[in-house]
Amino acid sequence: MARPRKPLLSRDLIVDTARELVDAEGLAALSTRRLAAELGVSGPSLYNHFRTKDQILEAVADSVSALVDLSMFEDGRPWRTALHDWAVSYRAALTEHPNIVPVLARGPGRRPAGLRLADAVFGAMTAAGWPPAQATSIGALMRYFVQGSALGSFAGGFVDDETAYDPADYPHLGQAHLLADRQQQVDERAFATGLQALLDGLAVQYESLAGPERRAAGPDRPAAKAR
């Protein structure tokens, strides 16, 4: 019997299938047995590419990090604009795959795309004149904010039932039952409001840390030189 021209399994196929499973059913649904069944192969076949389920999860998480646009740190955009555009791209990737956020929240570890992301943010902030310690804090702060915004929905936490919010108990929640139907709008507006507040605060810090030359440049100083 002729051997197939293409292997039945590849790392990319395993990662793509695992990501689809996590997206659809959550982290608890992923097991090597379930993944093998979804792929139509025997469980041991997976071990030719990944030694453990944790390695598969790490690869899935890294595939989501790889979706984040980093070009804004290379094309001469001011550091504030670059940080804003990166945060928007980062959140977009996570909201497409929210079930993997708990794995991403552990940090980049040894994941290549995650490390490139961390390197790009830190390098861009230091290139713009932020001291290294502050650049590290900015990277951490933005990740906390973006990951938290993608992990859950404030609006989605309310039920579409007017009787659930008795004015006698919750005098200020008379319209809360409308939030669930406006989930995307509310959540996106909340993210935009928070992001602007963070960047406004960072701009103030930037001016207070800077010498006269950097204060003159202000938030329009490029995040990095174009390569």
Side-chain angles (χ1 to χ4, degrees):
M1 184 175 179
R3 298 180 63 182
R5 294 182 179 180
K6 295 183 179 180
L8 295 176
L9 279 182
S10 67
R11 287 180 64 91
D12 287 345
L13 179 59
I14 293 170
V15 170
D16 289 347
T17 305
R19 186 176 58 244
E20 291 171 2
L21 181 58
V22 171
D23 285 345
E25 300 183 33
L27 289 170
L30 183 63
S31 67
T32 53
R33 179 178 296 180
R34 175 69 186 281
L35 183 56
E38 292 289 328
L39 289 162
V41 300
S42 64
S45 300
L46 300 176
Y47 299 121
N48 293 325
H49 303 276
F50 296 96
R51 293 196 300 272
T52 66
K53 185 186 83 168
D54 283 345
Q55 285 190 350
I56 297 173
L57 273 176
E58 289 289 298
V60 170
D62 212 38
S63 73
V64 174
S65 293
L67 299 175
V68 182
D69 183 15
L70 299 177
S71 65
M72 65 285 296
F73 296 126
E74 299 295 337
D75 60 12
R77 277 175 246 188
W79 69 263
R80 175 173 174 156
T81 302
L83 203 59
H84 171 278
D85 294 348
W86 167 75
V88 170
S89 176
Y90 192 18
R91 181 176 182 270
L94 298 193
T95 54
E96 286 294 316
H97 308 281
N99 291 336
I100 200 65
V101 173
V103 180
L104 288 166
R106 301 172 190 168
R110 297 177 181 272
R111 299 193 295 267
L115 289 169
R116 283 193 294 271
L117 190 153
D119 180 74
V121 175
F122 180 80
M125 293 305 100
T126 54
W130 284 94
Q134 289 291 334
T136 299
S137 296
I138 290 170
L141 166 67
M142 299 304 291
R143 285 167 177 76
Y144 299 154
F145 174 64
V146 175
Q147 290 175 357
S149 75
L151 191 57
S153 167
F154 173 80
F158 293 86
V159 297
D160 185 13
D161 180 0
E162 188 174 2
T163 65
Y165 308 106
D166 189 331
D169 296 321
Y170 316 107
H172 305 295
L173 295 181
Q175 301 296 307
H177 65 285
L178 301 175
L179 291 174
D181 189 49
R182 305 171 184 175
Q183 178 176 334
Q184 182 175 356
Q185 177 185 358
V186 173
D187 292 345
E188 289 182 354
R189 186 169 61 235
F191 175 76
T193 299
L195 181 57
Q196 180 176 336
L198 283 176
L199 294 174
D200 286 347
L202 288 174
V204 172
Q205 289 188 33
Y206 186 84
E207 292 183 5
S208 69
L209 290 170
E213 181 180 348
R214 199 184 307 160
R215 274 200 295 271
D220 291 334
R221 179 162 177 165
K225 295 180 180 179
R227 293 180 181 176

PDB file of all heavy atoms in Angstrom, residues 24 26 40 57 73 82 96-97 102 116 121-122 124 138 148 160-161 166-167 191 196 198 215 217:
ATOM      1  N   ALA A  24     -14.506  26.083  21.543  1.00  0.00           N
ATOM      2  CA  ALA A  24     -15.900  25.631  21.565  1.00  0.00           C
ATOM      3  C   ALA A  24     -16.356  25.165  22.932  1.00  0.00           C
ATOM      4  O   ALA A  24     -17.503  25.412  23.331  1.00  0.00           O
ATOM      5  CB  ALA A  24     -16.089  24.503  20.541  1.00  0.00           C
ATOM      6  N   GLY A  26     -14.030  24.972  26.006  1.00  0.00           N
ATOM      7  CA  GLY A  26     -13.258  25.368  27.172  1.00  0.00           C
ATOM      8  C   GLY A  26     -12.056  24.473  27.424  1.00  0.00           C
ATOM      9  O   GLY A  26     -11.907  23.405  26.823  1.00  0.00           O
ATOM     10  N   GLY A  40      -9.117  11.778  14.562  1.00  0.00           N
ATOM     11  CA  GLY A  40      -9.285  10.472  13.942  1.00  0.00           C
ATOM     12  C   GLY A  40      -8.024   9.633  13.966  1.00  0.00           C
ATOM     13  O   GLY A  40      -7.772   8.864  13.027  1.00  0.00           O
ATOM     14  N   LEU A  57      -1.240  22.742  25.032  1.00  0.00           N
ATOM     15  CA  LEU A  57      -1.859  23.981  25.499  1.00  0.00           C
ATOM     16  C   LEU A  57      -0.932  25.177  25.305  1.00  0.00           C
ATOM     17  O   LEU A  57      -1.369  26.263  24.911  1.00  0.00           O
ATOM     18  CB  LEU A  57      -2.241  23.860  26.971  1.00  0.00           C
ATOM     19  CG  LEU A  57      -3.602  23.258  27.282  1.00  0.00           C
ATOM     20  CD1 LEU A  57      -3.782  23.114  28.788  1.00  0.00           C
ATOM     21  CD2 LEU A  57      -4.718  24.105  26.698  1.00  0.00           C
ATOM     22  N   PHE A  73       5.094  48.959  16.332  1.00  0.00           N
ATOM     23  CA  PHE A  73       6.321  49.246  17.062  1.00  0.00           C
ATOM     24  C   PHE A  73       7.530  49.412  16.139  1.00  0.00           C
ATOM     25  O   PHE A  73       8.637  49.663  16.605  1.00  0.00           O
ATOM     26  CB  PHE A  73       6.614  48.136  18.074  1.00  0.00           C
ATOM     27  CG  PHE A  73       5.567  48.023  19.152  1.00  0.00           C
ATOM     28  CD1 PHE A  73       4.944  46.811  19.396  1.00  0.00           C
ATOM     29  CD2 PHE A  73       5.205  49.115  19.912  1.00  0.00           C
ATOM     30  CE1 PHE A  73       3.986  46.696  20.398  1.00  0.00           C
ATOM     31  CE2 PHE A  73       4.244  49.012  20.909  1.00  0.00           C
ATOM     32  CZ  PHE A  73       3.631  47.797  21.139  1.00  0.00           C
ATOM     33  N   ALA A  82       1.311  53.797  19.326  1.00  0.00           N
ATOM     34  CA  ALA A  82       1.708  52.399  19.133  1.00  0.00           C
ATOM     35  C   ALA A  82       1.148  51.516  20.243  1.00  0.00           C
ATOM     36  O   ALA A  82       0.640  50.419  19.977  1.00  0.00           O
ATOM     37  CB  ALA A  82       3.231  52.296  19.090  1.00  0.00           C
ATOM     38  N   GLU A  96     -11.360  36.698  20.411  1.00  0.00           N
ATOM     39  CA  GLU A  96     -11.681  35.612  19.487  1.00  0.00           C
ATOM     40  C   GLU A  96     -11.437  34.254  20.132  1.00  0.00           C
ATOM     41  O   GLU A  96     -12.038  33.251  19.736  1.00  0.00           O
ATOM     42  CB  GLU A  96     -10.840  35.740  18.215  1.00  0.00           C
ATOM     43  CG  GLU A  96     -11.268  36.856  17.286  1.00  0.00           C
ATOM     44  CD  GLU A  96     -12.638  36.625  16.679  1.00  0.00           C
ATOM     45  OE1 GLU A  96     -12.921  35.482  16.250  1.00  0.00           O
ATOM     46  OE2 GLU A  96     -13.435  37.575  16.663  1.00  0.00           O
ATOM     47  N   HIS A  97     -10.564  34.228  21.131  1.00  0.00           N
ATOM     48  CA  HIS A  97     -10.186  32.963  21.780  1.00  0.00           C
ATOM     49  C   HIS A  97     -10.122  33.148  23.297  1.00  0.00           C
ATOM     50  O   HIS A  97      -9.075  32.926  23.921  1.00  0.00           O
ATOM     51  CB  HIS A  97      -8.837  32.487  21.245  1.00  0.00           C
ATOM     52  CG  HIS A  97      -8.761  32.410  19.754  1.00  0.00           C
ATOM     53  ND1 HIS A  97      -9.289  31.371  19.027  1.00  0.00           N
ATOM     54  CD2 HIS A  97      -8.237  33.277  18.836  1.00  0.00           C
ATOM     55  CE1 HIS A  97      -9.090  31.578  17.732  1.00  0.00           C
ATOM     56  NE2 HIS A  97      -8.457  32.724  17.599  1.00  0.00           N
ATOM     57  N   PRO A 102      -6.613  32.143  30.361  1.00  0.00           N
ATOM     58  CA  PRO A 102      -5.947  31.708  31.598  1.00  0.00           C
ATOM     59  C   PRO A 102      -4.552  31.131  31.368  1.00  0.00           C
ATOM     60  O   PRO A 102      -3.670  31.278  32.232  1.00  0.00           O
ATOM     61  CB  PRO A 102      -6.899  30.651  32.158  1.00  0.00           C
ATOM     62  CG  PRO A 102      -8.238  31.055  31.638  1.00  0.00           C
ATOM     63  CD  PRO A 102      -7.968  31.571  30.248  1.00  0.00           C
ATOM     64  N   ARG A 116       8.246  37.187  21.644  1.00  0.00           N
ATOM     65  CA  ARG A 116       8.399  38.271  20.672  1.00  0.00           C
ATOM     66  C   ARG A 116       7.501  39.449  21.036  1.00  0.00           C
ATOM     67  O   ARG A 116       7.884  40.615  20.878  1.00  0.00           O
ATOM     68  CB  ARG A 116       8.075  37.766  19.259  1.00  0.00           C
ATOM     69  CG  ARG A 116       9.186  36.938  18.637  1.00  0.00           C
ATOM     70  CD  ARG A 116       8.962  36.727  17.154  1.00  0.00           C
ATOM     71  NE  ARG A 116       7.792  35.913  16.886  1.00  0.00           N
ATOM     72  CZ  ARG A 116       7.820  34.580  16.810  1.00  0.00           C
ATOM     73  NH1 ARG A 116       8.962  33.929  17.000  1.00  0.00           N
ATOM     74  NH2 ARG A 116       6.713  33.916  16.554  1.00  0.00           N
ATOM     75  N   VAL A 121       7.188  45.089  22.986  1.00  0.00           N
ATOM     76  CA  VAL A 121       6.649  46.143  23.848  1.00  0.00           C
ATOM     77  C   VAL A 121       7.758  46.780  24.679  1.00  0.00           C
ATOM     78  O   VAL A 121       7.883  48.010  24.739  1.00  0.00           O
ATOM     79  CB  VAL A 121       5.542  45.584  24.755  1.00  0.00           C
ATOM     80  CG1 VAL A 121       5.063  46.652  25.746  1.00  0.00           C
ATOM     81  CG2 VAL A 121       4.361  45.082  23.927  1.00  0.00           C
ATOM     82  N   PHE A 122       8.580  45.962  25.306  1.00  0.00           N
ATOM     83  CA  PHE A 122       9.662  46.495  26.142  1.00  0.00           C
ATOM     84  C   PHE A 122      10.639  47.304  25.290  1.00  0.00           C
ATOM     85  O   PHE A 122      11.036  48.426  25.661  1.00  0.00           O
ATOM     86  CB  PHE A 122      10.403  45.356  26.831  1.00  0.00           C
ATOM     87  CG  PHE A 122      11.537  45.821  27.702  1.00  0.00           C
ATOM     88  CD1 PHE A 122      11.307  46.309  28.978  1.00  0.00           C
ATOM     89  CD2 PHE A 122      12.853  45.780  27.244  1.00  0.00           C
ATOM     90  CE1 PHE A 122      12.358  46.748  29.775  1.00  0.00           C
ATOM     91  CE2 PHE A 122      13.898  46.219  28.025  1.00  0.00           C
ATOM     92  CZ  PHE A 122      13.649  46.704  29.306  1.00  0.00           C
ATOM     93  N   ALA A 124      10.130  48.817  22.456  1.00  0.00           N
ATOM     94  CA  ALA A 124       9.532  50.047  21.960  1.00  0.00           C
ATOM     95  C   ALA A 124       9.455  51.111  23.040  1.00  0.00           C
ATOM     96  O   ALA A 124       9.709  52.292  22.791  1.00  0.00           O
ATOM     97  CB  ALA A 124       8.137  49.758  21.412  1.00  0.00           C
ATOM     98  N   ILE A 138       4.971  48.953  32.372  1.00  0.00           N
ATOM     99  CA  ILE A 138       3.970  49.266  31.350  1.00  0.00           C
ATOM    100  C   ILE A 138       3.538  47.990  30.629  1.00  0.00           C
ATOM    101  O   ILE A 138       2.346  47.761  30.402  1.00  0.00           O
ATOM    102  CB  ILE A 138       4.533  50.294  30.347  1.00  0.00           C
ATOM    103  CG1 ILE A 138       4.669  51.659  31.021  1.00  0.00           C
ATOM    104  CG2 ILE A 138       3.633  50.405  29.114  1.00  0.00           C
ATOM    105  CD1 ILE A 138       5.435  52.665  30.200  1.00  0.00           C
ATOM    106  N   GLY A 148      -7.611  40.936  31.218  1.00  0.00           N
ATOM    107  CA  GLY A 148      -8.804  41.017  32.052  1.00  0.00           C
ATOM    108  C   GLY A 148     -10.040  41.397  31.258  1.00  0.00           C
ATOM    109  O   GLY A 148     -11.127  40.860  31.481  1.00  0.00           O
ATOM    110  N   ASP A 160     -31.204  39.085  31.303  1.00  0.00           N
ATOM    111  CA  ASP A 160     -32.207  39.830  30.544  1.00  0.00           C
ATOM    112  C   ASP A 160     -33.588  39.598  31.165  1.00  0.00           C
ATOM    113  O   ASP A 160     -34.471  38.986  30.568  1.00  0.00           O
ATOM    114  CB  ASP A 160     -32.177  39.392  29.083  1.00  0.00           C
ATOM    115  CG  ASP A 160     -33.116  40.212  28.215  1.00  0.00           C
ATOM    116  OD1 ASP A 160     -33.588  41.257  28.692  1.00  0.00           O
ATOM    117  OD2 ASP A 160     -33.367  39.800  27.074  1.00  0.00           O
ATOM    118  N   ASP A 161     -33.730  40.077  32.400  1.00  0.00           N
ATOM    119  CA  ASP A 161     -34.967  39.863  33.146  1.00  0.00           C
ATOM    120  C   ASP A 161     -35.185  41.059  34.067  1.00  0.00           C
ATOM    121  O   ASP A 161     -34.483  41.229  35.073  1.00  0.00           O
ATOM    122  CB  ASP A 161     -34.869  38.568  33.952  1.00  0.00           C
ATOM    123  CG  ASP A 161     -36.126  38.285  34.770  1.00  0.00           C
ATOM    124  OD1 ASP A 161     -37.085  39.088  34.713  1.00  0.00           O
ATOM    125  OD2 ASP A 161     -36.148  37.271  35.487  1.00  0.00           O
ATOM    126  N   ASP A 166     -34.891  44.255  41.632  1.00  0.00           N
ATOM    127  CA  ASP A 166     -35.931  44.964  42.379  1.00  0.00           C
ATOM    128  C   ASP A 166     -35.396  46.320  42.836  1.00  0.00           C
ATOM    129  O   ASP A 166     -34.374  46.390  43.530  1.00  0.00           O
ATOM    130  CB  ASP A 166     -36.331  44.126  43.597  1.00  0.00           C
ATOM    131  CG  ASP A 166     -37.560  44.673  44.311  1.00  0.00           C
ATOM    132  OD1 ASP A 166     -37.783  45.896  44.264  1.00  0.00           O
ATOM    133  OD2 ASP A 166     -38.283  43.869  44.923  1.00  0.00           O
ATOM    134  N   PRO A 167     -36.080  47.413  42.475  1.00  0.00           N
ATOM    135  CA  PRO A 167     -35.618  48.747  42.885  1.00  0.00           C
ATOM    136  C   PRO A 167     -35.477  48.902  44.391  1.00  0.00           C
ATOM    137  O   PRO A 167     -34.683  49.717  44.849  1.00  0.00           O
ATOM    138  CB  PRO A 167     -36.705  49.673  42.330  1.00  0.00           C
ATOM    139  CG  PRO A 167     -37.321  48.907  41.209  1.00  0.00           C
ATOM    140  CD  PRO A 167     -37.266  47.473  41.619  1.00  0.00           C
ATOM    141  N   PHE A 191     -13.725  49.093  27.357  1.00  0.00           N
ATOM    142  CA  PHE A 191     -12.319  48.898  27.026  1.00  0.00           C
ATOM    143  C   PHE A 191     -11.704  50.190  26.511  1.00  0.00           C
ATOM    144  O   PHE A 191     -10.607  50.585  26.930  1.00  0.00           O
ATOM    145  CB  PHE A 191     -12.171  47.793  25.978  1.00  0.00           C
ATOM    146  CG  PHE A 191     -10.763  47.614  25.488  1.00  0.00           C
ATOM    147  CD1 PHE A 191      -9.824  46.967  26.266  1.00  0.00           C
ATOM    148  CD2 PHE A 191     -10.381  48.096  24.247  1.00  0.00           C
ATOM    149  CE1 PHE A 191      -8.512  46.810  25.827  1.00  0.00           C
ATOM    150  CE2 PHE A 191      -9.078  47.944  23.788  1.00  0.00           C
ATOM    151  CZ  PHE A 191      -8.142  47.295  24.578  1.00  0.00           C
ATOM    152  N   GLN A 196      -7.985  54.635  27.221  1.00  0.00           N
ATOM    153  CA  GLN A 196      -7.665  56.056  27.163  1.00  0.00           C
ATOM    154  C   GLN A 196      -7.200  56.565  28.525  1.00  0.00           C
ATOM    155  O   GLN A 196      -6.246  57.344  28.608  1.00  0.00           O
ATOM    156  CB  GLN A 196      -8.884  56.862  26.702  1.00  0.00           C
ATOM    157  CG  GLN A 196      -8.617  58.367  26.624  1.00  0.00           C
ATOM    158  CD  GLN A 196      -9.787  59.156  26.087  1.00  0.00           C
ATOM    159  OE1 GLN A 196     -10.631  58.615  25.376  1.00  0.00           O
ATOM    160  NE2 GLN A 196      -9.855  60.428  26.427  1.00  0.00           N
ATOM    161  N   LEU A 198      -5.719  54.856  30.904  1.00  0.00           N
ATOM    162  CA  LEU A 198      -4.374  54.347  31.155  1.00  0.00           C
ATOM    163  C   LEU A 198      -3.327  55.153  30.392  1.00  0.00           C
ATOM    164  O   LEU A 198      -2.285  55.536  30.941  1.00  0.00           O
ATOM    165  CB  LEU A 198      -4.288  52.879  30.755  1.00  0.00           C
ATOM    166  CG  LEU A 198      -4.904  51.856  31.707  1.00  0.00           C
ATOM    167  CD1 LEU A 198      -4.803  50.458  31.105  1.00  0.00           C
ATOM    168  CD2 LEU A 198      -4.203  51.877  33.060  1.00  0.00           C
ATOM    169  N   ARG A 215      10.659  65.937  27.505  1.00  0.00           N
ATOM    170  CA  ARG A 215       9.384  66.605  27.725  1.00  0.00           C
ATOM    171  C   ARG A 215       8.946  67.336  26.465  1.00  0.00           C
ATOM    172  O   ARG A 215       7.775  67.383  26.126  1.00  0.00           O
ATOM    173  CB  ARG A 215       9.477  67.584  28.896  1.00  0.00           C
ATOM    174  CG  ARG A 215       9.241  66.942  30.248  1.00  0.00           C
ATOM    175  CD  ARG A 215       8.871  67.989  31.273  1.00  0.00           C
ATOM    176  NE  ARG A 215       9.972  68.920  31.512  1.00  0.00           N
ATOM    177  CZ  ARG A 215      10.921  68.732  32.424  1.00  0.00           C
ATOM    178  NH1 ARG A 215      10.901  67.642  33.165  1.00  0.00           N
ATOM    179  NH2 ARG A 215      11.882  69.608  32.586  1.00  0.00           N
ATOM    180  N   ALA A 217       9.593  66.401  23.477  1.00  0.00           N
ATOM    181  CA  ALA A 217       9.131  65.396  22.515  1.00  0.00           C
ATOM    182  C   ALA A 217       7.752  64.876  22.893  1.00  0.00           C
ATOM    183  O   ALA A 217       6.895  64.665  22.051  1.00  0.00           O
ATOM    184  CB  ALA A 217      10.127  64.235  22.447  1.00  0.00           C
TER     185      ALA A 217
END
